[in-house]
Amino acid sequence: MKSLSKNVSLAVLSASLLAGGTAAANSADILPEEKSLSNLEYEPLGKDELQTYKALNSYSEPGFIAEMVAAGLLPPVEERLPSEPLVFLEGAMVDGIGEYGGVFRHVIGGRPEGWNWMAGQHQGWGGINMAAQECLVRVGPLWQIKSEDQTGPLPNLAKSWEWNDNRTELTLNLVEGIKWSDGDPFDTEDVQFWWEDNVQDPDVSAWMSMDGMGEGTTMEVLDSYNFKFVFSKPQGPARVESLAYIQGCPGPSHVLKDKHPRYNSDATYESYRQSQPADMVPTPVLGAWVPVELRPDELVIMRRNPYYFKVDEAGNQLPYMNEMHFKLSTWSDRTTQAVAGTGDFSNMENPGNYVEALKQSQDPNSPVKANFGVRVLSWEVQLNFSESVGIEDDIDRELRSLFRNKDFRVALSHALDRETIGQSIARGPFSHPFPGGFSIGSPYYDAGSTVYYGYDPDKTSSMLDALGLIDTDGNGIRNLPETGADAEIDLVYDTTEPTDKKQVDAIVAMWGEVGINILPRAVDEIEPVADSGNFNMIERRHHWIIPTRQTCDYVPISANCPDWHPVDGDGNRDLFDWEQEMANAVNAFQETWEPAQAQAAVNAIQKNWTENVYTIGTVQAPAALLINKRIKNAHPGTPVFMFNWAEDNVIRERLWVAGEDQLEELLPGTIPN
């Protein structure tokens, strides 16, 4: 079993208590031993060593903000902060208390869809979402927390929570006095609107599914700062992690409520979703920076939030940096600019860039430093299991029937030479075969529960023959046994990702060698296609590392997920027994307080996923965090992706730059609104 580094979760520690490895299917192989490229080193902390909530004797702010207070344009900092703000402790900061000022430069390949994240809109990814949103709890910094403190998430908007005696009720206590960036109070009215009118509204595509807190769960508001979830059966501490980014992030009800169809007879659900378009800035947020300017296809500028509720131990209101830029370019360009020093940060996720980026970053004069983590980037092919959604003719119908046959999925897995696929995306020791499920870098990965169907094209051919897939017309393509049509399958992939394109090219060639003709279909936005169910196969990156993060994207815990097995318009879906077992295991993980039982539940997911080839994994690779050397407080052990992406893991509100290294701000002396 692998862990990220010295930090190992309780669930991982418990694996030694479990019985030995699971017997694999007869046609399965042993996954090759992995050699990690990780060079992460750090000393783990206790939760109480990272942050706390308390009132300080005095508070400070940047000089230009103090001038606005003196001019009557803003209330004093003491009135803008909660009575007990979240305090980041100096002992957990590698470079200590920071200086105010300067710019943090991101480069992203996405484009902001809009600012109504409660209705499922994204803000372009690459960290811009996290810069604006704050969630009820936080999981990103958990990577540096001691194993004995891994009993749930970090507090955030909710400063504490309690369970009743039989653990069927969870009461959360909000920080009193937090304000939105326009000065409006944040309270349970915002939480209630998020839950009742977004998460629980079937016509809103919220990031959390309706059953994301467990089937039958309800919420009760107790007063302005306290509310509780009531569960249909006892729950465990992991359930609280579901309230972290990207699922548990309330939006401004004082702005959005009168745009929701339940409160506005002239509104529609589409108009509600689009009610905060990308160019509607500034928009009220709780995050450290507020979007204030959009230059289409060029730049998003965010400025410090004067109402941000976090401070350092010296009483300095955070963030330290006044301005954040998101240059709208490509994901590959993000790495290029980080290496060149024209960008400050990159999750280096495109293996094609690794060799050159590492070579340049090792130059003593390089402006950037690079740290490789464990293998948490994985890719897979998802086969649509629905017997009705997206079916246009008898050929689609026969393909879906084949997809639901385990032998067909195993046969396709045996046809993939994953070593060759890996070398096609990056020459060198970066890739490793991926059988599906949890990536090998996940702290929950268990080798004994992983079944692997390795490269064996002869086995593929014999299995396809046995299924009646024979080339009856001699054109090199097998024919479907029922319709007699050529076995041609559409495969959707993201054309903006060069890693995906290279893998699709390899998949087309390898499956073509065994008589399955793949028809690649490139799209600029893969999510709309996936959400629609109008596909037979999709190739894309796999992001499931932690069982509580975006669970609905991977396991059928709700009717609308995952993308490759949705319910149809009549609410019908024929789940496999082992799919239901995975959903049950997710619930078992969420409900238990025993580490050994939690790991056993995760192992059940891994075994069912890989043995039944829920998806056809290709390869997995590490990622590297690139960060400019002028940036202070970038913890040397920060992983690119674990409990969350590095933009959250690194705690950007604590990052700072020495005065002599600060870059010129584009909008100096300004604040939102």
Side-chain angles (χ1 to χ4, degrees):
M1 167 176 323
K2 301 285 294 183
S3 83
L4 175 61
S5 53
K6 298 177 185 176
N7 173 40
V8 185
S9 71
L10 281 177
V12 175
L13 289 175
S14 70
S16 61
L17 303 176
L18 302 177
T22 304
N26 291 334
S27 60
D29 304 306
I30 301 298
L31 188 69
E33 183 178 354
E34 184 248 8
K35 294 182 180 180
S36 176
L37 299 179
S38 175
N39 57 358
L40 303 184
E41 293 288 341
Y42 64 92
E43 291 297 326
L45 304 169
K47 285 182 179 178
D48 59 356
E49 296 178 281
L50 179 67
Q51 64 183 48
T52 189
Y53 293 87
K54 64 179 179 180
L56 302 179
N57 292 331
S58 62
Y59 299 99
S60 302
E61 58 194 352
F64 80 94
I65 298 289
E67 293 174 3
M68 292 183 176
V69 172
L73 299 175
L74 278 175
V77 64
E78 294 83 2
E79 297 178 16
R80 303 196 312 270
L81 287 168
S83 56
E84 292 186 337
L86 189 155
V87 181
F88 282 117
L89 302 179
E90 184 177 6
M93 301 182 188
V94 293
D95 295 308
I97 301 296
E99 300 179 32
Y100 279 129
V103 177
F104 194 55
R105 302 168 300 171
H106 282 273
V107 178
I108 64 174
R111 301 294 184 269
E113 186 181 16
W115 304 103
N116 191 357
W117 55 83
M118 284 195 298
Q121 285 191 320
H122 67 76
Q123 288 74 64
W125 309 113
I128 189 170
N129 300 46
M130 300 175 197
Q133 298 176 37
E134 292 284 339
C135 308
L136 292 167
V137 298
R138 191 173 192 178
V139 296
L142 283 176
W143 63 269
Q144 66 181 113
I145 300 301
K146 295 176 181 177
S147 60
E148 57 265 32
D149 272 5
Q150 291 283 2
T151 53
L154 293 165
N156 198 46
L157 296 175
K159 67 178 181 180
S160 60
W161 48 88
E162 303 87 34
W163 295 89
N164 66 348
D165 290 342
N166 65 1
R167 294 165 178 163
T168 57
E169 295 183 0
L170 171 68
T171 300
L172 291 102
N173 314 300
L174 299 178
V175 179
E176 297 188 22
I178 291 178
K179 295 179 176 63
W180 292 93
S181 58
D182 60 1
D184 192 84
F186 168 74
D187 52 29
T188 50
E189 183 178 358
D190 296 301
V191 177
Q192 186 173 27
F193 179 63
W194 159 76
W195 175 259
E196 293 183 356
D197 299 313
N198 290 273
V199 174
Q200 295 301 307
D201 190 326
D203 295 312
V204 176
S205 300
W207 289 109
M208 177 183 280
S209 70
M210 292 182 68
D211 296 327
M213 288 296 287
E215 187 174 358
T217 300
T218 60
M219 193 189 80
E220 297 179 12
V221 171
L222 304 177
D223 55 42
S224 295
Y225 296 104
N226 300 279
F227 65 99
K228 69 178 180 180
F229 289 105
V230 180
F231 304 101
S232 59
K233 54 185 176 179
Q235 301 293 315
R239 178 62 71 185
V240 190
E241 293 181 16
S242 299
L243 299 173
Y245 177 87
I246 188 173
Q247 300 168 139
C249 313
S253 64
H254 66 287
V255 173
L256 291 169
K257 196 168 187 176
D258 66 359
K259 299 174 182 178
H260 192 288
R262 286 185 179 173
Y263 308 98
N264 184 341
S265 59
D266 294 328
T268 65
Y269 280 100
E270 182 59 23
S271 70
Y272 169 65
R273 177 181 168 84
Q274 303 294 339
S275 61
Q276 291 287 101
D279 59 357
M280 187 177 285
V281 290
T283 188
V285 304
L286 294 174
W289 294 272
V290 185
V292 296
E293 186 172 331
L294 168 67
R295 301 175 185 176
D297 213 33
E298 180 186 350
L299 188 69
V300 174
I301 303 174
M302 304 183 78
R303 292 286 298 177
R304 67 178 306 114
N305 178 0
Y307 289 91
Y308 196 52
F309 65 102
K310 302 177 185 179
V311 301
D312 65 22
E313 205 168 359
N316 296 303
Q317 185 185 28
L318 299 174
Y320 291 120
M321 283 187 266
N322 290 331
E323 197 166 276
M324 187 177 287
H325 297 168
F326 288 86
K327 181 177 179 181
L328 305 179
S329 182
T330 67
W331 296 116
S332 293
D333 190 43
R334 175 172 63 169
T335 294
T336 300
Q337 295 210 32
V339 170
T342 52
D344 292 324
F345 184 100
S346 177
N347 295 328
M348 190 165 65
E349 307 160 36
N350 182 355
N353 292 338
Y354 286 3
V355 174
E356 185 61 27
L358 281 175
K359 182 179 178 181
Q360 294 187 38
S361 67
Q362 289 171 357
D363 187 321
N365 297 319
S366 170
V368 69
K369 51 188 175 183
N371 278 323
F372 260 107
V374 291
R375 289 184 173 88
V376 292
L377 304 179
S378 306
W379 289 265
E380 66 189 6
V381 177
Q382 300 165 355
L383 284 65
N384 196 332
F385 290 148
S386 175
E387 297 173 286
S388 53
V389 178
I391 289 180
E392 297 181 356
D393 52 35
D394 288 341
I395 295 175
D396 283 343
R397 189 168 292 105
E398 185 172 5
L399 287 176
R400 301 296 179 83
S401 179
L402 276 173
F403 295 169
R404 293 176 64 87
N405 188 309
K406 176 184 172 182
D407 285 346
F408 181 74
R409 303 191 300 273
V410 171
L412 291 187
S413 179
H414 279 311
L416 294 182
D417 182 350
R418 292 169 172 87
E419 181 178 347
T420 297
I421 293 174
Q423 292 302 307
S424 75
I425 63 175
R427 303 291 291 179
F430 300 106
S431 70
H432 192 72
F434 178 53
F438 292 100
S439 299
I440 208 165
S442 166
Y444 295 94
Y445 172 78
D446 177 57
S449 303
T450 302
V451 179
Y452 175 54
Y453 302 102
Y455 183 51
D456 191 338
D458 290 337
K459 188 173 292 183
T460 297
S461 293
S462 64
M463 294 182 74
L464 293 178
D465 288 346
L467 290 169
L469 285 154
I470 309 294
D471 180 12
T472 58
D473 54 15
N475 67 351
I477 303 173
R478 294 173 183 268
N479 295 92
L480 301 177
E482 293 182 12
T483 61
D486 283 344
E488 295 184 328
I489 309 172
D490 57 288
L491 175 63
V492 180
Y493 72 96
D494 188 343
T495 189
T496 66
E497 295 286 353
T499 300
D500 292 69
K501 175 63 167 64
K502 291 178 181 178
Q503 293 196 62
V504 167
D505 288 344
I507 290 167
V508 169
M510 292 171 187
W511 284 349
E513 286 291 322
V514 296
I516 304 297
N517 190 30
I518 298 300
L519 307 175
R521 178 156 65 101
V523 296
D524 292 333
E525 285 281 345
I526 204 165
E527 294 301 330
V529 178
D531 291 343
S532 72
N534 189 24
F535 65 90
N536 281 314
M537 287 183 174
I538 283 185
E539 183 279 341
R540 59 176 166 175
R541 201 165 70 187
H542 176 98
H543 286 155
W544 208 33
I545 305 298
I546 305 300
T548 54
R549 189 182 188 279
Q550 292 178 255
T551 310
C552 196
D553 287 348
Y554 302 102
V555 177
I557 60 170
S558 189
N560 62 336
C561 59
D563 290 333
W564 61 95
H565 203 176
V567 298
D568 62 21
D570 296 323
N572 298 317
R573 173 172 61 177
D574 185 14
L575 289 179
F576 297 104
D577 290 343
W578 48 266
E579 274 186 290
Q580 188 60 58
E581 287 177 19
M582 289 198 295
N584 294 342
V586 167
N587 289 329
F589 179 87
Q590 301 273 26
E591 293 163 8
T592 185
W593 289 74
E594 297 297 328
Q597 292 178 9
Q599 186 64 50
V602 176
N603 291 353
I605 297 170
Q606 183 73 359
K607 178 181 180 296
N608 276 299
W609 190 308
T610 56
E611 185 176 89
N612 293 289
V613 198
Y614 196 35
T615 57
I616 302 174
T618 57
V619 296
Q620 51 193 324
L625 177 62
L626 305 180
I627 194 156
N628 197 286
K629 292 177 181 177
R630 69 190 185 91
I631 305 296
K632 307 295 185 183
N633 272 349
H635 200 288
T638 305
V640 168
F641 184 47
M642 184 49 59
F643 292 89
N644 208 344
W645 288 101
E647 291 89 349
D648 187 34
N649 299 350
V650 79
I651 313 181
R652 285 179 297 175
E653 57 266 39
R654 300 186 317 179
L655 301 180
W656 59 278
V657 177
E660 63 270 19
D661 294 324
Q662 291 180 6
L663 302 178
E664 184 177 353
E665 301 170 26
L666 293 179
L667 301 175
T670 64
I671 60 168
N673 305 302

